[in-house]
Amino acid sequence: MSSSTKPSTAASEITKEGEFRRQVSSFRSFVEPGPNAEFPAEAGRYHLYVSYACPWAHRTLIVRKLKGLDSLIGVSVVNYLMGPK
């Protein structure tokens, strides 16, 4: 595999034994009900754009449904095909 096709991974994510260890996420805020929430769950405040080409898109759609946010957060599905630009 050439370096141009090799996936980029931070060296800090690979142990000396070659095991991949994901970094701790820096995203720790949540959409929550209540007027004092950092990100209040309000209809029309957020919109989710997903592409089915993204391997994590289905996770965002599942969480939106499981948390009961589907009536508050709209969804747009963008084209899965990425052009040259």
Side-chain angles (χ1 to χ4, degrees):
M1 182 180 286
S2 72
S3 61
S4 63
T5 59
K6 191 174 184 180
S8 62
T9 303
S12 62
E13 294 178 324
I14 301 173
T15 66
K16 290 179 182 178
E17 295 78 28
E19 182 181 13
F20 177 78
R21 295 276 175 107
R22 185 173 304 281
Q23 294 179 0
V24 176
S25 174
S26 60
F27 298 103
R28 293 291 176 218
S29 299
F30 301 95
V31 175
E32 301 174 305
N36 296 328
E38 182 179 3
F39 298 101
E42 299 172 348
R45 183 177 175 111
Y46 307 100
H47 193 82
L48 178 61
Y49 294 88
V50 296
S51 169
Y52 294 141
C54 174
W56 297 283
H58 74 286
R59 295 176 189 183
T60 62
L61 295 170
I62 290 169
V63 169
R64 176 180 161 265
K65 182 70 173 176
L66 290 175
K67 291 196 169 270
L69 298 172
D70 47 329
S71 64
L72 300 174
I73 300 175
V75 173
S76 293
V77 179
V78 299
N79 194 330
Y80 67 91
L81 204 78
M82 291 181 59
K85 294 186 180 184

